[in-house]
């Protein structure tokens, strides 16, 4: 295939699939929310509400577009586009499968394959979005978790996990925890939706947007969620690898069946991760601002540093193939953190001997 | 009231245990709760009533406050004695009665016209409480609709026809002892 046609097709494919996926994720989210709240959710448009996304889209398109009189027109119009574009661009380096055989060679299923700074690229672009501004500091923690891999190229990261058969959430539990929390924060979904406060504010920063422009903000939020879910799967759950049904295959003997299995495994894992994020969103209340800050500064950053330390020790003294020791060390570090937290946490609640406040009536 | 008043009960925040202080235990608890609800809804135990296809079930239709009806006595005559108590009690002033000399021996007056504006009514049930002869009652008909305002103004005939339509499912309150504390009809 000619050198420019291949990325073009892959990009088109990714964009098309993402568009469909986001539309249906909105439906899935509404269904999950409904089921958690003992309701049924949308079920009137098409069987099981399956045509609901189309109806929503049509509604967005036909609604009136309002530009507030006092708004800076250029900025106002460009903001949703920017947010959506940056959310899309992150997918350039994210693999959506392994390799497919093509005319004796192979094609990597990544829009921009072999980008050695792949992960950094995702975080850099991700924090370009307005979403990242307040919580951007969180994202900057992330890089500690990846020193272990020795690579920021996502294809390599998956390949390492597939070759060893160890998924890194088992080897790197601390990093996994930190990443999951900051991932949630990055997608500004519920436990960390401070810029938005969906339930009680009119909508935070996108209050003045109407019709499709509002839709684009929602779209970008779901794209962020997909990004975080795919990244979690790639970094900690072995990407397209699954023992038995989707094992590691050397580039020479890639088959169509294997390629399809890899895509299916990655998709299923990602969907499960997304479901987990939705489940969290409809289960937990939002963190208070001071709780968020104290968690970020007193828990997440120290954990990140500790993780870095454990990784460095492992890299220095251990045989690269010795996953078991790493695993044990990693969980020991988690245990240590739990103990430390339990011993040092300030007692909550009002102390017993504080007399009730005296208020004049 | 002083802060050390005997009647004030000071409540202390419960002490958080080990898992509570790490947020972890309670967070997992929350996930378990929502998972339980998700599964029970998936099994079909949801709360949703698919309204137009499925009629909601009332715990006790006799105490539901929907569209009114004018009760009839054993001889099929309207029970109302045009005492105006319901119209007086009505906070929405939506009952309009014209009383006149009764053609029957056993009462002095009866309503020549009895009109309720169902659009103004707030379905408070005061009229039902006020009536000394249990002539007016609120039924469990809740999905009242109409294409015009005029249609929603119910006259005596219409209110009596509501009685015919609902008496099977909802017996008169005065007849069923425990449910109604009304006086027995003459
Ligand atoms: S239910 Fe209340 S508002 Fe309606 S007619 Fe009776 S007293 Fe009036
Ligand atoms: S319905 Fe009852 S309260 Fe109202 S006028 Fe008739 S008898 Fe009196």
């Amino acid at each position: 295939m000619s050198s420019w046609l291949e990325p073009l097709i892959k990009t088109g494919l990714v964009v098309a699939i993402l568009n469909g996926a986001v539309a249906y994720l909105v439906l899935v989210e509404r269904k999950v929310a409904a089921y958690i709240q003992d309701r049924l959710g949308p079920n009137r448009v098409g069987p099981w509400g399956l045509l609901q996304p189309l109806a929503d889209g049509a509604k967005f398109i036909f609604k009136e577009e309002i530009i507030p009189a006092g708004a800076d027109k250029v900025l106002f119009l460009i903001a949703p586009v920017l947010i959506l574009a940056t959310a899309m661009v992150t997918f350039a380096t994210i693999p959506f499968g392994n390799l497919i055989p093509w005319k004796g060679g192979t094609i990597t299923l990544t829009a921009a394959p072999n980008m050695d700074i792949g992960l950094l690229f995702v975080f850099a672009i991700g924090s370009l979005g307005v979403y990242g501004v307040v919580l951007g500091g969180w994202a900057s923690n992330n890089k500690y978790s990846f020193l272990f891999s020795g690579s920021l190229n996502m294809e390599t990261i998956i390949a390492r996990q597939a070759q060893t058969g160890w998924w890194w959430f088992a080897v790197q539990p601390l990093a996994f925890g930190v990443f999951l929390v900051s991932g949630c924060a990055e997608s500004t979904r519920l436990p960390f939706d401070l810029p938005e406060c969906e339930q009680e504010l009119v909508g935070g920063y996108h209050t003045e947007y109407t019709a499709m422009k509002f839709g684009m903000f929602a779209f970008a939020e779901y794209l962020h969620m997909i990004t975080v879910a795919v990244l979690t799967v790639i970094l900690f759950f072995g990407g397209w690898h699954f023992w038995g049904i989707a094992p590691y295959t050397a580039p020479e003997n890639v088959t169509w069946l294997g390629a399809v299995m890899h895509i299916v495994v990655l998709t299923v894992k990602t969907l499960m991760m997304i479901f987990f994020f939705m489940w969290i969103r409809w289960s937990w209340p939002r963190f208070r601002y001071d709780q968020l800050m104290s968690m970020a500064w007193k828990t997440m950053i120290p954990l990140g540093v500790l993780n870095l330390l454990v990784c460095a020790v492992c890299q220095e003294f251990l045989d690269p193939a010795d996953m078991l020791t790493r695993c044990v060390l990693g969980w020991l570090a988690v245990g240590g953190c739990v103990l430390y937290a339990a011993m040092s946490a300030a007692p909550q609640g009002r102390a017993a001997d504080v007399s009730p406040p005296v208020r004049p009536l | 009231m002083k802060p050390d008043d005997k009647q004030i009960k000071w409540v202390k925040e419960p002490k958080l245990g080990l898992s509570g202080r790490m947020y972890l235990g309670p967070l997992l608890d929350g996930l378990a709760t929502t998972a339980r609800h998700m599964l029970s809804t998936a099994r079909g135990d949801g709360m949703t009533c698919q309204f137009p296809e499925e009629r909601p079930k009332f715990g006790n239709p006799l105490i539901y406050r929907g569209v009114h009806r004018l009760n009839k006595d054993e001889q099929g005559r309207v029970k109302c004695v045009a005492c105006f108590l319901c119209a007086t009690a009505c906070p929405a002033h939506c009952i309009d009665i014209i009383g006149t000399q009764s053609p029957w021996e056993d009462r002095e007056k009866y309503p020549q016209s009895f009109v309720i504006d169902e659009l103004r009514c707030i379905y408070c049930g005061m009229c039902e409480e006020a009536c000394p002869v249990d002539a007016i009652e609120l039924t469990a008909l809740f999905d009242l609709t109409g294409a015009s305002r005029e249609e929603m103004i119910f006259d005596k005939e219409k209110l009596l026809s509501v009685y015919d339509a609902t008496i099977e499912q909802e017996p008169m309150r005065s007849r069923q002892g425990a449910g109604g504390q009304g006086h027995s009809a003459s």
Side-chain angles (χ1 to χ4, degrees), chain B residues 69-71 78-89 95 97 110-111 114 116 126-137:
Chain B
R69 73 180 183 200
L70 274 180
N71 286 337
V78 59
K79 268 175 94 175
C80 171
V81 294
C83 69
F84 285 74
L85 280 180
C86 54
T88 312
I95 307 182
I97 307 168
Y110 91 115
F114 193 111
I116 299 181
M126 287 301 197
C127 44
E128 182 174 356
E129 295 297 327
C131 182
V133 293
D134 292 309
I136 188 166
E137 276 180 351

CSV table of all heavy atoms in Angstrom, one decimal, chain B residues 69-71 78-89 95 97 110-111 114 116 126-137, ligand 2:
chain,number,residue,atom,x,y,z
B,69,ARG,N,-66.4,11.5,41.7
B,69,ARG,CA,-67.6,10.9,41.2
B,69,ARG,C,-68.7,11.4,42.2
B,69,ARG,O,-68.4,11.7,43.4
B,69,ARG,CB,-67.5,9.4,41.2
B,69,ARG,CG,-67.5,8.7,42.5
B,69,ARG,CD,-67.4,7.2,42.4
B,69,ARG,NE,-67.5,6.6,43.7
B,69,ARG,CZ,-67.0,5.4,43.9
B,69,ARG,NH1,-66.4,4.7,42.9
B,69,ARG,NH2,-67.1,4.8,45.1
B,70,LEU,N,-70.0,11.4,41.7
B,70,LEU,CA,-71.1,11.7,42.6
B,70,LEU,C,-71.8,10.3,42.8
B,70,LEU,O,-72.2,9.7,41.9
B,70,LEU,CB,-72.1,12.6,41.9
B,70,LEU,CG,-71.8,14.1,42.1
B,70,LEU,CD1,-72.8,15.0,41.4
B,70,LEU,CD2,-71.7,14.5,43.6
B,71,ASN,N,-71.9,9.9,44.1
B,71,ASN,CA,-72.4,8.6,44.4
B,71,ASN,C,-74.0,8.6,44.2
B,71,ASN,O,-74.6,9.6,44.4
B,71,ASN,CB,-72.1,8.2,45.8
B,71,ASN,CG,-70.6,7.8,45.9
B,71,ASN,OD1,-70.0,7.4,44.9
B,71,ASN,ND2,-70.0,7.9,47.1
B,78,VAL,N,-79.2,10.6,42.9
B,78,VAL,CA,-77.9,11.2,43.3
B,78,VAL,C,-78.0,11.4,44.9
B,78,VAL,O,-79.1,11.7,45.4
B,78,VAL,CB,-77.7,12.5,42.6
B,78,VAL,CG1,-78.8,13.5,42.8
B,78,VAL,CG2,-76.4,13.1,43.1
B,79,LYS,N,-77.0,11.0,45.6
B,79,LYS,CA,-77.0,11.0,47.0
B,79,LYS,C,-76.9,12.4,47.6
B,79,LYS,O,-77.3,12.7,48.7
B,79,LYS,CB,-75.8,10.2,47.6
B,79,LYS,CG,-76.2,8.7,47.8
B,79,LYS,CD,-75.0,8.0,48.2
B,79,LYS,CE,-74.9,7.9,49.7
B,79,LYS,NZ,-73.7,7.0,50.2
B,80,CYS,N,-76.4,13.3,46.8
B,80,CYS,CA,-76.1,14.7,47.3
B,80,CYS,C,-77.4,15.4,47.8
B,80,CYS,O,-78.4,15.2,47.2
B,80,CYS,CB,-75.5,15.5,46.2
B,80,CYS,SG,-75.3,17.2,46.5
B,81,VAL,N,-77.2,16.1,48.9
B,81,VAL,CA,-78.4,16.8,49.4
B,81,VAL,C,-78.2,18.3,49.3
B,81,VAL,O,-78.9,19.1,50.0
B,81,VAL,CB,-78.7,16.4,50.9
B,81,VAL,CG1,-79.1,15.0,51.0
B,81,VAL,CG2,-77.4,16.7,51.8
B,82,ALA,N,-77.3,18.7,48.4
B,82,ALA,CA,-77.1,20.2,48.2
B,82,ALA,C,-76.9,21.0,49.4
B,82,ALA,O,-77.5,22.0,49.6
B,82,ALA,CB,-78.2,20.7,47.3
B,83,CYS,N,-76.0,20.5,50.3
B,83,CYS,CA,-75.8,21.2,51.5
B,83,CYS,C,-74.6,22.3,51.4
B,83,CYS,O,-74.4,23.1,52.3
B,83,CYS,CB,-75.4,20.3,52.7
B,83,CYS,SG,-73.8,19.5,52.4
B,84,PHE,N,-73.9,22.2,50.3
B,84,PHE,CA,-72.8,23.2,50.0
B,84,PHE,C,-71.6,23.0,50.8
B,84,PHE,O,-70.7,23.9,50.8
B,84,PHE,CB,-73.3,24.6,50.0
B,84,PHE,CG,-74.2,25.0,48.9
B,84,PHE,CD1,-75.5,24.5,48.8
B,84,PHE,CD2,-73.7,25.8,47.9
B,84,PHE,CE1,-76.3,24.8,47.7
B,84,PHE,CE2,-74.5,26.1,46.8
B,84,PHE,CZ,-75.8,25.7,46.7
B,85,LEU,N,-71.5,22.0,51.7
B,85,LEU,CA,-70.4,21.9,52.5
B,85,LEU,C,-69.1,21.7,51.7
B,85,LEU,O,-68.0,22.2,52.0
B,85,LEU,CB,-70.6,20.7,53.5
B,85,LEU,CG,-71.4,21.0,54.7
B,85,LEU,CD1,-71.5,19.8,55.6
B,85,LEU,CD2,-70.8,22.2,55.5
B,86,CYS,N,-69.2,20.9,50.7
B,86,CYS,CA,-68.0,20.6,49.9
B,86,CYS,C,-67.6,21.9,49.2
B,86,CYS,O,-66.4,22.2,49.2
B,86,CYS,CB,-68.3,19.5,48.8
B,86,CYS,SG,-69.7,19.8,47.8
B,87,ALA,N,-68.5,22.6,48.6
B,87,ALA,CA,-68.2,23.9,47.9
B,87,ALA,C,-67.5,24.8,48.9
B,87,ALA,O,-66.6,25.6,48.5
B,87,ALA,CB,-69.4,24.5,47.3
B,88,THR,N,-68.0,24.8,50.1
B,88,THR,CA,-67.4,25.7,51.1
B,88,THR,C,-66.0,25.3,51.5
B,88,THR,O,-65.1,26.1,51.7
B,88,THR,CB,-68.3,25.8,52.4
B,88,THR,OG1,-69.6,25.9,52.0
B,88,THR,CG2,-67.9,26.9,53.3
B,89,ALA,N,-65.8,24.0,51.6
B,89,ALA,CA,-64.5,23.5,52.0
B,89,ALA,C,-63.5,23.6,50.9
B,89,ALA,O,-62.3,23.7,51.2
B,89,ALA,CB,-64.6,22.0,52.5
B,95,ILE,N,-66.1,24.0,42.9
B,95,ILE,CA,-67.3,23.3,42.9
B,95,ILE,C,-68.5,24.4,42.8
B,95,ILE,O,-68.5,25.3,43.5
B,95,ILE,CB,-67.5,22.5,44.1
B,95,ILE,CG1,-66.3,21.5,44.3
B,95,ILE,CG2,-68.8,21.7,44.1
B,95,ILE,CD1,-66.5,20.6,45.5
B,97,ILE,N,-72.6,24.6,42.7
B,97,ILE,CA,-73.8,23.8,42.9
B,97,ILE,C,-75.0,24.8,42.8
B,97,ILE,O,-75.0,25.9,43.4
B,97,ILE,CB,-73.8,23.1,44.3
B,97,ILE,CG1,-72.5,22.3,44.5
B,97,ILE,CG2,-75.0,22.3,44.5
B,97,ILE,CD1,-72.3,21.9,45.9
B,110,TYR,N,-82.0,18.9,46.6
B,110,TYR,CA,-81.0,18.1,45.8
B,110,TYR,C,-80.4,19.0,44.8
B,110,TYR,O,-80.9,20.1,44.5
B,110,TYR,CB,-81.8,16.9,45.2
B,110,TYR,CG,-82.3,17.2,43.8
B,110,TYR,CD1,-81.8,16.5,42.7
B,110,TYR,CD2,-83.3,18.1,43.6
B,110,TYR,CE1,-82.3,16.7,41.4
B,110,TYR,CE2,-83.8,18.4,42.3
B,110,TYR,CZ,-83.3,17.7,41.2
B,110,TYR,OH,-83.8,17.9,40.0
B,111,PRO,N,-79.2,18.7,44.2
B,111,PRO,CA,-78.6,19.6,43.3
B,111,PRO,C,-79.2,19.5,41.9
B,111,PRO,O,-79.3,18.5,41.3
B,111,PRO,CB,-77.1,19.0,43.2
B,111,PRO,CG,-77.3,17.6,43.5
B,111,PRO,CD,-78.5,17.4,44.4
B,114,PHE,N,-74.6,20.4,39.3
B,114,PHE,CA,-73.5,20.1,40.2
B,114,PHE,C,-72.3,20.1,39.3
B,114,PHE,O,-72.1,19.2,38.5
B,114,PHE,CB,-73.6,18.8,41.0
B,114,PHE,CG,-72.6,18.7,42.1
B,114,PHE,CD1,-73.0,18.7,43.4
B,114,PHE,CD2,-71.3,18.5,41.8
B,114,PHE,CE1,-72.1,18.5,44.4
B,114,PHE,CE2,-70.4,18.3,42.8
B,114,PHE,CZ,-70.8,18.3,44.1
B,116,ILE,N,-68.1,20.6,38.6
B,116,ILE,CA,-66.7,20.7,39.1
B,116,ILE,C,-65.7,21.0,38.0
B,116,ILE,O,-65.8,20.3,37.0
B,116,ILE,CB,-66.2,19.4,39.8
B,116,ILE,CG1,-67.1,19.0,41.0
B,116,ILE,CG2,-64.8,19.5,40.3
B,116,ILE,CD1,-66.7,17.8,41.7
B,126,MET,N,-60.7,17.6,50.1
B,126,MET,CA,-61.4,18.3,51.1
B,126,MET,C,-62.9,18.1,51.0
B,126,MET,O,-63.7,17.9,51.9
B,126,MET,CB,-61.1,19.8,51.1
B,126,MET,CG,-59.8,20.1,51.6
B,126,MET,SD,-59.6,19.5,53.3
B,126,MET,CE,-58.2,20.4,53.8
B,127,CYS,N,-63.4,18.1,49.7
B,127,CYS,CA,-64.8,17.9,49.4
B,127,CYS,C,-65.3,16.6,50.0
B,127,CYS,O,-66.3,16.5,50.6
B,127,CYS,CB,-65.1,18.0,48.0
B,127,CYS,SG,-63.9,17.1,46.9
B,128,GLU,N,-64.5,15.6,49.7
B,128,GLU,CA,-64.8,14.2,50.2
B,128,GLU,C,-64.9,14.2,51.7
B,128,GLU,O,-65.8,13.6,52.3
B,128,GLU,CB,-63.8,13.3,49.7
B,128,GLU,CG,-64.0,11.8,50.0
B,128,GLU,CD,-63.0,10.9,49.4
B,128,GLU,OE1,-62.2,11.4,48.6
B,128,GLU,OE2,-63.0,9.7,49.7
B,129,GLU,N,-64.0,14.9,52.4
B,129,GLU,CA,-64.0,14.9,53.8
B,129,GLU,C,-65.2,15.6,54.4
B,129,GLU,O,-65.8,15.3,55.4
B,129,GLU,CB,-62.7,15.6,54.3
B,129,GLU,CG,-61.4,14.9,54.0
B,129,GLU,CD,-61.3,13.6,54.7
B,129,GLU,OE1,-61.8,13.4,55.8
B,129,GLU,OE2,-60.7,12.7,54.1
B,130,ALA,N,-65.6,16.7,53.6
B,130,ALA,CA,-66.6,17.6,54.2
B,130,ALA,C,-68.0,17.0,54.0
B,130,ALA,O,-68.9,17.2,54.8
B,130,ALA,CB,-66.6,18.9,53.4
B,131,CYS,N,-68.2,16.2,53.0
B,131,CYS,CA,-69.6,15.7,52.7
B,131,CYS,C,-70.2,14.9,53.8
B,131,CYS,O,-69.7,13.9,54.2
B,131,CYS,CB,-69.6,14.9,51.4
B,131,CYS,SG,-71.2,14.4,50.9
B,132,PRO,N,-71.3,15.3,54.3
B,132,PRO,CA,-72.0,14.6,55.4
B,132,PRO,C,-72.7,13.3,55.0
B,132,PRO,O,-73.0,12.5,55.8
B,132,PRO,CB,-73.0,15.6,56.0
B,132,PRO,CG,-73.3,16.5,54.8
B,132,PRO,CD,-72.1,16.5,54.0
B,133,VAL,N,-72.9,13.2,53.7
B,133,VAL,CA,-73.7,12.0,53.3
B,133,VAL,C,-72.8,11.1,52.3
B,133,VAL,O,-73.4,10.3,51.6
B,133,VAL,CB,-75.0,12.3,52.6
B,133,VAL,CG1,-76.0,12.9,53.7
B,133,VAL,CG2,-74.8,13.3,51.5
B,134,ASP,N,-71.5,11.3,52.3
B,134,ASP,CA,-70.6,10.6,51.4
B,134,ASP,C,-71.1,10.6,49.9
B,134,ASP,O,-71.1,9.6,49.3
B,134,ASP,CB,-70.5,9.1,51.8
B,134,ASP,CG,-69.7,9.1,53.1
B,134,ASP,OD1,-68.6,9.7,53.2
B,134,ASP,OD2,-70.2,8.5,54.1
B,135,ALA,N,-71.6,11.7,49.5
B,135,ALA,CA,-72.1,11.8,48.1
B,135,ALA,C,-71.0,12.1,47.1
B,135,ALA,O,-71.1,11.7,45.9
B,135,ALA,CB,-73.2,12.9,48.0
B,136,ILE,N,-69.9,12.7,47.5
B,136,ILE,CA,-68.9,13.0,46.6
B,136,ILE,C,-67.6,12.3,47.0
B,136,ILE,O,-67.3,12.2,48.2
B,136,ILE,CB,-68.6,14.6,46.5
B,136,ILE,CG1,-67.6,14.9,45.4
B,136,ILE,CG2,-68.1,15.1,47.9
B,136,ILE,CD1,-67.6,16.3,45.1
B,137,GLU,N,-67.0,11.6,46.1
B,137,GLU,CA,-65.8,10.8,46.4
B,137,GLU,C,-64.7,11.0,45.3
B,137,GLU,O,-65.1,11.2,44.1
B,137,GLU,CB,-66.1,9.3,46.5
B,137,GLU,CG,-66.6,9.0,47.9
B,137,GLU,CD,-67.0,7.5,48.0
B,137,GLU,OE1,-67.0,6.8,47.0
B,137,GLU,OE2,-67.2,7.1,49.2
C,2,LIG,S1,-71.7,16.6,47.6
C,2,LIG,FE1,-71.9,16.3,49.8
C,2,LIG,S2,-71.1,18.1,50.7
C,2,LIG,FE2,-71.3,18.6,48.6
C,2,LIG,S3,-73.3,19.5,48.5
C,2,LIG,FE3,-73.6,17.4,48.1
C,2,LIG,S4,-74.1,16.5,50.1
C,2,LIG,FE4,-73.2,18.5,50.5
